[in-house]
């Protein structure tokens, strides 16, 4: 299930006119944590992290909190790089990143 979530990131980044994650963009514009916009962003990010953590718990991950942290950071970074650099191998880069964080297969 987690790889499918990251496939959605790749799908979003592949869209014509993609200009980065709207939550990241809004966070840059509204840095005050008391701002209603920033509170909505924080709520969304907490939901995303919690969803990842719940999936990791269901998969018997040994450290679901830390792994959810790592996946959240990876997702953020992939969203940024997809907007700034548009790597041709984005989809395989996303899959490899998830596999590495989850301790799965690595290319030889």
């Amino acid at each position: 299930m987690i790889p499918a979530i990251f496939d959605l990131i790749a799908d979003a980044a592949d869209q014509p006119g993609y200009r980065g994650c709207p939550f990241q963009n809004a966070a840059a514009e509204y840095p005050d944590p008391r701002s209603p916009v920033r509170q909505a962003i924080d709520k969304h990010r907490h939901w995303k992290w919690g969803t990842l953590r719940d999936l990791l718990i269901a998969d018997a991950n040994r450290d679901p909190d830390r792994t959810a942290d790592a996946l959240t950071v990876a997702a953020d970074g992939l969203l940024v790089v997809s907007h700034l650099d548009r790597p041709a191998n984005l989809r395989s880069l996303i899959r490899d990143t998830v596999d590495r964080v989850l301790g799965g297969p690595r290319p030889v």
Side-chain angles (χ1 to χ4, degrees):
M1 182 60 129
I2 290 175
I5 292 169
F6 281 78
D7 286 342
L8 292 173
I9 292 172
D11 292 343
D14 273 345
Q15 296 302 308
Y18 177 76
R19 298 180 49 134
C21 173
F23 292 98
Q24 290 175 354
N25 293 341
E29 295 294 323
Y30 295 90
D32 183 352
R34 296 169 299 187
S35 161
V37 173
R38 186 55 185 261
Q39 289 175 2
I41 293 164
D42 292 347
K43 182 177 179 180
H44 169 77
R45 290 181 61 76
H46 183 72
W47 168 82
K48 180 172 68 172
W49 180 89
T51 299
L52 291 169
R53 181 179 179 274
D54 290 347
L55 292 169
L56 291 162
I57 289 170
D59 284 344
N61 183 275
R62 287 179 282 174
D63 192 353
D65 289 355
R66 183 74 171 167
T67 306
D69 287 343
L71 288 169
T72 299
V73 168
D76 288 347
L78 290 165
L79 285 166
V80 169
V81 75
S82 68
H83 172 57
L84 297 177
D85 298 335
R86 299 256 189 243
N89 64 339
L90 179 65
R91 201 168 287 279
S92 66
L93 180 61
I94 289 173
R95 184 56 66 135
D96 187 46
T97 299
V98 172
D99 286 346
R100 288 172 185 263
V101 170
L102 296 178
R106 294 185 179 164
V108 179

